[in-house]
Amino acid sequence: MITAIWGYINSVQFELCTSKILSSFEEIQKNGNVCRSNKSPWVCLTCSSVHCGRYVNGHAKKHYEDAQVPLTNHKKSEKQDKAQHTVCMDCSSYSTYCYRCDDFVVNDTKLGLVQKVREHLQNLENSAFTADRHRKRKLLENSTLNSKLLKVNGSTTAICATGLRNLGNTCFMNAILQSLSNIEQFCCYFKELPAVELRNGKTAGRRTYHTRSQGDNNVSLVEEFRKTLCALWQGSQTAFSPESLFYVVWKIMPNFRGYQQQDAHEFMRYLLDHLHLELQGGFNGVSRSAILQENSTLSASNKCCINGASTVVTAIFGGILQNEVNCLICGTESRKFDPFLDLSLDIPSQFRSKRSKNQENGPVCSLRDCLRSFTDLEELDETELYMCHKCKKKQKSTKKFWIQKLPKVLCLHLKRFHWTAYLRNKVDTYVEFPLRGLDMKCYLLEPENSGPESCLYDLAAVVVHHGSGVGSGHYTAYATHEGRWFHFNDSTVTLTDEETVVKAKAYILFYVERQAKAGSDKL
């Protein structure tokens, strides 16, 4: 489909188109696009007119829709007219999008016309307009700082957080990215990685654009994740668009292709697993694991290997469970150690009708209730009979989990979605959770070997699902940064307070191991 559409743009049209684009690009630097907005400019690669994206006023999409009305009654003219004005390019990131396919363009023409347009625009960006753009950017930064000043405890402070644009039901990704960006040790590791240059020779140092013709070797999840984290917390008033990261997600995680609502917990697991795998293999001839080993703050004693060598993912999120199974017939005990990156906790059935903290029909479900349900002795039902090696047949048994090693960052997933006969319903129960001093000592296999502070955790971030079903609704996140709590709702970031955070119906909780000794209430 993409190739067919691009077939209408020959080399002659390309030369004419690029010259128009360059003049249009100059104009947008001065006056913005046709709707007088300089936010999210997209240039039509057929007529070179510049319009705002669908997240501003949607004029680029309207331009395409208006062009689909045939100008003549001739079949050939209709076909050509409908094929035009379908592909546009983002003037900021140089990514291309096809409205007919309703998808991003990841390939190029045989003549490489897409890349030529990008190079033309980039050369213009690096020319005499650079100084003017720097001047305007400086003015924008000053206005941004002034617009982000708030009164906190009587003093003036600045909000330095940056939102993430919703690319079409990508709130599940935005909530996870904002949460991970506020886990300091994890975020700093990626931000301090050197930029990976995926191209050599004359094009070294320029931006890289992923196309099918280049192959999968030029796709780096670690690099795009690093760029996204670097873009956050820089005080930009304009929300950052994680398009490049989303392209890579589509390419290496087929489950998340398209614009349907996805499960945030499932995405987080896929993201961490793929980051772990890529870091294991190294990139561009440099082993990321070697960089990790040189980091003195992540000592060998804190590493937990999952699927091979340790990485920053397992060093920070990795813990170990001991799974004990006892045969109820002969008493044979079986022990197994399982590494984990997060713990999925059931909400006990007796609390599932409790939907708010202030509801008076019974006690409030707490995080401790969920943890106790996870670690309590459980008798396996008939569908989970244990194969006893002594009895040499499947027998009734009991199972119990112990935590053999706690991670530096404890990720707790509350299982709010469960399957019924035909539907996946949501458990909308309010679960009370502490902001500080979550004590995990009583769930350890050998609590006597742990230090007084090593089992205490403080909350860093919370992901919340709003709505009734996993395939619908909306995700937001709360996270703490430099002692202040923020609410991340896609492109909107607002300062909030602890009272608001504790009222949230948490879906995923990120707790960070306490380092310094400080008095606080325990859970």
Side-chain angles (χ1 to χ4, degrees):
M1 179 71 75
I2 299 294
T3 304
I5 292 171
W6 275 101
Y8 290 102
I9 303 179
N10 57 36
S11 58
V12 176
Q13 290 175 315
F14 165 74
E15 295 297 336
L16 181 61
C17 181
T18 50
S19 62
K20 289 182 178 179
I21 290 173
L22 295 182
S23 61
S24 298
F25 199 69
E26 285 185 38
E27 187 66 23
I28 197 171
Q29 303 299 322
K30 299 177 182 178
N31 304 316
N33 54 38
V34 293
C35 64
R36 298 302 174 189
S37 171
N38 59 3
K39 295 181 179 179
S40 185
W42 290 79
V43 59
C44 174
L45 295 186
T46 300
C47 65
S48 76
S49 58
V50 181
H51 303 83
C52 64
R54 66 176 69 191
Y55 302 109
V56 184
N57 294 314
H59 288 136
K61 185 178 181 182
K62 186 177 186 300
H63 172 71
Y64 156 72
E65 292 171 345
D66 292 343
Q68 302 316 296
V69 180
L71 299 176
T72 67
N73 293 326
H74 299 291
K75 293 182 179 180
K76 184 176 180 181
S77 298
E78 287 184 24
K79 181 179 179 181
Q80 184 173 357
D81 186 72
K82 288 187 178 182
Q84 292 178 344
H85 308 278
T86 56
V87 182
C88 56
M89 180 178 289
D90 189 334
C91 295
S92 300
S93 66
Y94 305 155
S95 58
T96 53
Y97 189 86
C98 175
Y99 280 112
R100 176 186 284 188
C101 303
D102 195 23
D103 198 357
F104 288 98
V105 179
V106 295
N107 60 346
D108 205 337
T109 65
K110 292 181 179 180
L111 299 177
L113 300 183
V114 181
Q115 186 62 27
K116 286 182 181 180
V117 173
R118 288 169 174 152
E119 290 175 356
H120 272 274
L121 292 177
Q122 191 169 23
N123 289 335
L124 178 66
E125 184 180 358
N126 295 331
S127 65
F129 291 93
T130 303
D132 184 58
R133 293 187 71 194
H134 283 329
R135 180 182 62 82
K136 290 185 177 181
R137 188 181 293 115
K138 192 170 183 179
L139 291 174
L140 180 61
E141 288 174 354
N142 291 337
S143 64
T144 298
L145 182 62
N146 292 333
S147 66
K148 287 199 169 190
L149 293 178
L150 289 179
K151 291 286 185 178
V152 179
N153 296 329
S155 61
T156 303
T157 185
I159 294 181
C160 54
T162 298
L164 287 168
R165 281 177 55 192
N166 191 315
L167 305 178
N169 282 328
T170 57
C171 55
F172 68 93
M173 179 178 73
N174 293 346
I176 294 299
L177 292 176
Q178 292 287 13
S179 298
L180 294 178
S181 75
N182 285 282
I183 299 174
E184 185 177 1
Q185 194 172 13
F186 184 72
C187 179
C188 287
Y189 172 83
F190 285 94
K191 288 166 66 176
E192 291 171 3
L193 286 176
V196 176
E197 295 297 339
L198 302 181
R199 304 172 68 187
N200 300 311
K202 295 180 180 179
T203 57
R206 297 186 184 179
R207 300 182 191 180
T208 301
Y209 308 92
H210 307 309
T211 65
R212 286 181 185 149
S213 60
Q214 289 176 313
D216 288 343
N217 291 335
N218 282 336
V219 174
S220 171
L221 179 64
V222 170
E223 176 65 3
E224 296 305 331
F225 185 67
R226 181 194 69 82
K227 289 177 182 177
T228 303
L229 293 183
C230 288
L232 301 175
W233 296 106
Q234 291 186 348
S236 174
Q237 186 178 25
T238 304
F240 177 74
S241 179
E243 290 173 346
S244 296
L245 176 61
F246 200 39
Y247 301 157
V248 178
V249 168
W250 276 24
K251 205 158 192 177
I252 66 177
M253 305 180 199
N255 291 359
F256 297 96
R257 289 177 184 168
Y259 295 97
Q260 299 82 18
Q261 180 65 280
Q262 304 282 356
D263 181 60
H265 174 252
E266 185 180 359
F267 171 75
M268 181 197 74
R269 285 306 312 268
Y270 269 88
L271 178 66
L272 292 179
D273 287 344
H274 280 82
L275 287 172
H276 172 63
L277 290 174
E278 187 175 321
L279 288 168
Q280 277 185 310
F283 200 83
N284 206 28
V286 179
S287 173
R288 301 289 195 178
S289 296
I291 299 175
L292 173 63
Q293 291 171 4
E294 294 174 2
N295 190 335
S296 60
T297 61
L298 298 175
S299 62
S301 62
N302 289 325
K303 296 177 183 178
C304 174
C305 296
I306 299 176
N307 297 327
S310 176
T311 66
V312 68
V313 176
T314 53
I316 290 181
F317 290 96
I320 300 176
L321 282 176
Q322 177 176 294
N323 182 1
E324 292 182 359
V325 179
N326 286 275
C327 176
L328 291 178
I329 306 300
C330 68
T332 299
E333 183 181 89
S334 173
R335 294 181 182 179
K336 181 182 177 182
F337 292 94
D338 297 313
F340 68 88
L341 294 179
D342 70 306
L343 298 178
S344 292
L345 311 178
D346 282 306
I347 297 175
S349 56
Q350 65 267 30
F351 296 107
R352 292 191 179 181
S353 61
K354 183 85 172 180
R355 297 200 169 193
S356 67
K357 186 175 182 178
N358 298 323
Q359 194 173 339
E360 296 183 358
N361 57 337
V364 175
C365 180
S366 68
L367 191 57
R368 168 172 275 184
D369 293 317
C370 299
L371 285 166
R372 187 184 297 115
S373 175
F374 179 78
T375 57
D376 276 352
L377 188 69
E378 172 190 4
E379 184 172 340
L380 301 178
D381 57 31
E382 296 291 336
T383 62
E384 299 177 293
L385 292 179
Y386 164 65
M387 183 62 189
C388 179
H389 297 291
K390 187 174 181 179
C391 298
K392 295 184 179 180
K393 64 177 181 178
K394 292 185 177 181
Q395 301 281 29
K396 288 187 176 181
S397 59
T398 60
K399 180 180 71 172
K400 180 174 176 60
F401 283 118
W402 293 96
I403 298 178
Q404 198 268 341
K405 174 190 173 296
L406 284 166
K408 299 179 76 65
V409 174
L410 179 63
C411 179
L412 300 176
H413 161 235
L414 298 180
K415 296 163 72 172
R416 290 196 174 274
F417 301 104
H418 68 99
W419 287 101
T420 59
Y422 303 102
L423 299 173
R424 194 179 183 189
N425 294 328
K426 182 179 178 182
V427 179
D428 205 30
T429 302
Y430 170 78
V431 177
E432 192 174 46
F433 55 90
L435 294 179
R436 302 174 190 85
L438 172 63
D439 193 350
M440 295 294 293
K441 193 168 186 176
C442 60
Y443 310 107
L444 282 177
L445 180 63
E446 299 175 341
E448 64 278 2
N449 294 333
S450 60
E453 293 288 333
S454 61
C455 300
L456 292 180
Y457 287 80
D458 298 323
L459 189 65
V462 187
V463 173
V464 181
H465 177 268
H466 311 268
S468 58
V470 66
S472 60
H474 182 61
Y475 287 98
T476 65
Y478 294 95
T480 179
H481 184 80
E482 296 180 350
R484 292 182 294 167
W485 281 95
F486 294 87
H487 183 216
F488 298 92
N489 183 3
D490 287 334
S491 58
T492 304
V493 181
T494 55
L495 200 62
T496 187
D497 51 37
E498 294 183 353
E499 289 74 16
T500 302
V501 176
V502 296
K503 293 177 182 178
K505 293 182 180 180
Y507 182 47
I508 306 173
L509 297 147
F510 296 89
Y511 280 94
V512 177
E513 182 184 31
R514 182 178 296 178
Q515 299 296 327
K517 291 184 178 181
S520 64
D521 296 332
K522 297 182 181 181
L523 174 65

